[in-house]
Amino acid sequence: MIKIFFSSLFFCCLMTANAQSTFKPGVKGGVNFATFTNSDADTKTDFYLGGLFAMKFSKFYTLQPELVYSRQGAIRTQDNTLVANPTIPDGTELKYSLDYLSLGVINKFTFGKGFHFDVGPSIDFKVGDNFNEKGASEPIGLDLALIGGIGYAFSNGFSIDARFKQGMADIFGNNYNNTSDPEGNGNIDDIILNQLFQVGVSYTFDIKK
């Protein structure tokens, strides 16, 4: 995953140096619908906000680095019959916040009239969480993710998009190498990953030469 990310950055620099392109900075924001895999958590609704730099190399392809502040997490209802915690009453709604500064390298493939397909990796740095307040373990400080989605770009610089983002690293840093499992699966069904659906808008600015 890290190799994919830095390969994309290298490709970005190479294309910038050798191609006749258009470059447009921009801003973006929207709504996150976030949860955790392999848990009894429900979806937590929050927001993301950041900037982008669209480098259009052809009519069909744009490379778009993005730096985004993303508020994620999940909601879980305390069930003391499953996980006993005397400090949290049974049935309490717990909102777990897990906030990241996300650096993504998005490949945008345009088709039709304004429609585009987005795909790329991101590396996410944790900037805040409230897990200790909820009696849970501290999440690790880094996540790696894959992003995919679709969108539509208007001629005035505005775009709308919908994306799915799948974390690739257990949020607590656990692995699933359990040699005692005869099936060789270890505890892979227990790994907890970030997972979210994003809906948002962006705007790119024309740079006058």
Side-chain angles (χ1 to χ4, degrees):
M1 182 65 188
I2 293 179
K3 289 182 179 180
I4 294 174
F5 181 82
F6 284 106
S7 294
S8 298
L9 284 180
F10 175 76
F11 178 73
C12 169
C13 295
L14 184 65
M15 292 292 287
T16 301
N18 294 284
Q20 295 296 319
S21 313
T22 61
F23 309 97
K24 293 183 179 181
V27 293
K28 63 179 304 178
V31 181
N32 281 337
F33 302 95
T35 190
F36 302 136
T37 64
N38 296 323
S39 70
D40 59 351
D42 295 320
T43 300
K44 175 177 178 283
T45 303
D46 221 308
F47 74 90
Y48 67 91
L49 184 66
L52 59 88
F53 193 66
M55 296 178 283
K56 191 176 183 67
F57 295 116
S58 72
K59 180 180 179 180
F60 307 103
Y61 177 70
T62 300
L63 188 64
Q64 185 169 289
E66 301 177 350
L67 185 63
V68 175
Y69 171 65
S70 181
R71 290 174 57 91
Q72 300 172 199
I75 296 176
R76 186 178 68 83
T77 300
Q78 178 66 22
D79 186 347
N80 284 326
T81 64
L82 298 176
V83 181
N85 190 326
T87 65
I88 302 177
D90 196 54
T92 301
E93 184 181 80
L94 303 173
K95 292 185 178 181
Y96 292 93
S97 295
L98 188 51
D99 306 335
Y100 291 99
L101 191 61
S102 176
L103 177 61
V105 180
I106 304 301
N107 300 276
K108 300 182 69 171
F109 301 94
T110 301
F111 60 95
K113 190 175 181 180
F115 291 98
H116 54 85
F117 172 71
D118 304 344
V119 62
S122 75
I123 181 167
D124 301 347
F125 303 92
K126 189 187 75 171
V127 294
D129 73 86
N130 68 347
F131 278 55
N132 284 340
E133 300 172 17
K134 305 300 180 182
S137 301
E138 182 80 10
I140 61 174
L142 186 71
D143 192 17
L144 305 172
L146 291 175
I147 301 169
I150 57 173
Y152 183 83
F154 298 92
S155 58
N156 60 3
F158 281 98
S159 295
I160 56 175
D161 59 69
R163 292 179 178 178
F164 179 76
K165 184 174 181 179
Q166 177 63 62
M168 304 299 290
D170 185 274
I171 65 171
F172 299 113
N174 298 323
N175 60 51
Y176 48 90
N177 296 320
N178 186 348
T179 57
S180 64
D181 186 345
E183 299 295 329
N185 295 322
N187 58 340
I188 190 171
D189 292 334
D190 297 327
I191 193 168
I192 299 177
L193 307 174
N194 283 303
Q195 190 175 81
L196 66 153
F197 180 69
Q198 300 177 310
V199 179
V201 297
S202 63
Y203 180 76
T204 53
F205 303 91
D206 280 321
I207 301 177
K208 303 298 182 180
K209 296 184 178 180

